[in-house]
């Protein structure tokens, strides 16, 4: 990633100053993210400002599945007729307040899609759960579409993300 930032797996980064404005997301990064990585519950990736080494944001990525019946017909017609489909869950995504409005959230979602595309385990879509209306607006702007039965849960087909990355 250019522009003075790098995205890398969570390691021995200083997380003490991270503050995104949502206490639960701050606490998760400080207290639980490393444990989830060790327990193979999720991978955690951080975006670091190269000059200062400041932690600018993070996201988690984990395997999940989606009942085919939750998907709209136009999405289903391009997929195998399985009752449950593999997906990748972006469980948490947060940007430190000092780094808002720099495009880092979009960059982290693109990074997640690329990791799924390049990984040995495949998924048909990225799944997110919006925590509030602001998050919902952000994800919809990124091309995510809501599930009919769960309006705060959204999906982005990996093929759509792939097309966006190549254009």
């Amino acid at each position: 990633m250019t522009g003075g930032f790098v995205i890398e797996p969570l390691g021995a980064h200083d997380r003490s100053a991270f503050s995104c404005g949502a206490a639960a997301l701050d606490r998760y990064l400080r207290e639980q993210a490393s444990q989830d990585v060790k327990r193979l519950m999720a991978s955690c990736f951080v975006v670091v400002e190269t000059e200062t080494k400041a932690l600018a944001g993070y996201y988690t990525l984990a395997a999940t599945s989606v009942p085919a019946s939750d998907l709209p017909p136009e999405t289903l017609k391009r997929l195998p007729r399985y009752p449950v489909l593999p997906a990748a869950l972006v469980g948490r995504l947060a940007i430190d307040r000092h780094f808002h409005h720099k495009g880092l959230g979009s960059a982290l979602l693109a990074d997640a899609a690329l990791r799924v595309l390049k990984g040995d385990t495949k998924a048909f879509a990225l799944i997110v759960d919006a925590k509030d209306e602001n998050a919902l607006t952000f994800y919809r702007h990124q091309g995510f579409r809501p599930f009919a039965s769960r309006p705060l849960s959204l999906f982005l087909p990996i093929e759509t993300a792939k097309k966006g990355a190549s254009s």
Side-chain angles (χ1 to χ4, degrees):
M1 180 175 175
T2 61
F5 294 94
V6 63
I7 300 172
E8 59 194 25
L10 177 65
H13 300 91
D14 179 6
R15 298 171 251 177
S16 62
F18 185 85
S19 177
C20 69
L25 292 171
D26 295 342
R27 188 173 39 258
Y28 175 83
L29 180 64
R30 286 191 201 106
E31 300 173 13
Q32 191 174 343
S34 293
Q35 293 173 23
D36 281 357
V37 170
K38 286 177 191 167
R39 293 178 181 147
L40 304 178
M41 295 289 112
S43 296
C44 184
F45 300 94
V46 294
V47 59
V48 178
E49 186 178 41
T50 53
E51 185 177 321
T52 65
K53 304 296 182 211
L55 208 63
Y58 77 96
Y59 75 93
T60 61
L61 193 61
T64 191
S65 61
V66 175
S69 59
D70 284 358
L71 296 169
E74 66 272 9
T75 300
L76 277 176
K77 70 181 177 184
R78 293 179 231 138
L79 297 172
R81 305 238 181 263
Y82 298 141
V84 178
L85 299 160
L89 175 67
V90 177
R92 290 170 177 83
L93 186 146
I95 304 299
D96 184 280
R97 291 179 201 208
H98 295 99
F99 297 96
H100 283 190
H101 308 293
K102 296 187 181 298
L104 296 177
S106 299
L108 289 176
L109 287 173
D111 186 74
L114 285 172
R115 288 180 192 277
V116 171
L117 281 165
K118 293 178 181 177
D120 291 334
T121 301
K122 300 302 179 191
F124 91 96
L126 288 180
I127 308 295
V128 296
D129 291 312
K131 69 179 182 68
D132 57 28
E133 286 296 321
N134 288 337
L136 183 66
T137 300
F138 168 75
Y139 289 125
R140 292 200 65 145
H141 180 73
Q142 301 301 314
F144 282 79
R145 298 179 9 217
F147 291 103
S149 61
R150 301 174 286 155
L152 290 179
S153 292
L154 303 100
F155 71 98
L156 177 70
I158 288 294
E159 283 300 317
T160 302
K162 184 178 178 181
K163 289 175 190 168
S166 64
S167 59

